[in-house]
Amino acid sequence: MLNNLIMDALFAHRRAPVAEAEQEIGFFDPEYCSAIENFELCEVAPDIVLFNYEEAKKINKRLIGDFSWVKGRCFQIGQSGQGDCWLIDLNGWVNWFNHDKGEISPEGLLSFGIGFYDFLKMAVLVRNVEHSLDNDPDFFDKNINRTKYIQSMNSVKEGIYDLYPYKYF
């Protein structure tokens, strides 16, 4: 289901694919389940760290234990390096939760209105910018680079640049 070119570029294949991940994790999103069944998810960019299958099971078990409302409504797929987290909801939309808002709650989730595959496309753009900044710390001093970054983010979904919580300029 997922574009294997993106998946192959980002993640290693699992040695033994997991069958029926949704049965074990108790949550079903076709794009996400296909990804964790077949690939070892990992950090894409410093603020987009995706959990592999085993991590996702463990973290979500703990999350549901602490916040029972989460069960069946959303599933934590990753975190940022800053304590915030990425989740998928029942509609298949990726959400972000800012840990500065306190305990996780439905009202505290910011929906990006994109599915997992589009989230990965956005993550690749963020990763590419991180690499550009590693090579040229003044990368965003050029207006053209700022404009191209905003346009590329918004090519995933109009307005997503404004939603993305980690700003570079």
Side-chain angles (χ1 to χ4, degrees), residues 125 128-129 132-133 135-153 161 168-169:
L125 296 171
N128 291 345
V129 162
S132 295
L133 288 168
N135 294 325
D136 179 6
D138 300 322
F139 179 76
F140 281 125
D141 287 352
K142 297 175 187 140
N143 191 43
I144 188 75
N145 291 338
R146 291 192 300 271
T147 300
K148 284 182 179 179
Y149 175 64
I150 292 169
Q151 289 172 341
S152 67
M153 290 288 280
Y161 169 78
Y168 293 101
F169 51 89

Side-chain angles (χ1 to χ4, degrees), residues 85-106:
C85 63
W86 298 102
L87 304 102
I88 290 182
D89 65 24
L90 280 175
N91 298 315
W93 299 138
V94 171
N95 292 257
W96 176 73
F97 178 73
N98 180 347
H99 77 284
D100 290 336
K101 293 190 181 227
E103 292 186 347
I104 194 166
S105 68

Side-chain angles (χ1 to χ4, degrees), residues 14 16-22 24 33-34 36-39 53-54:
R14 291 183 62 88
V18 176
E20 306 297 324
E22 69 270 11
E24 287 214 24
C33 285
S34 175
I36 64 169
E37 287 174 352
N38 296 294
F39 294 91
Y53 180 72
E54 290 76 19

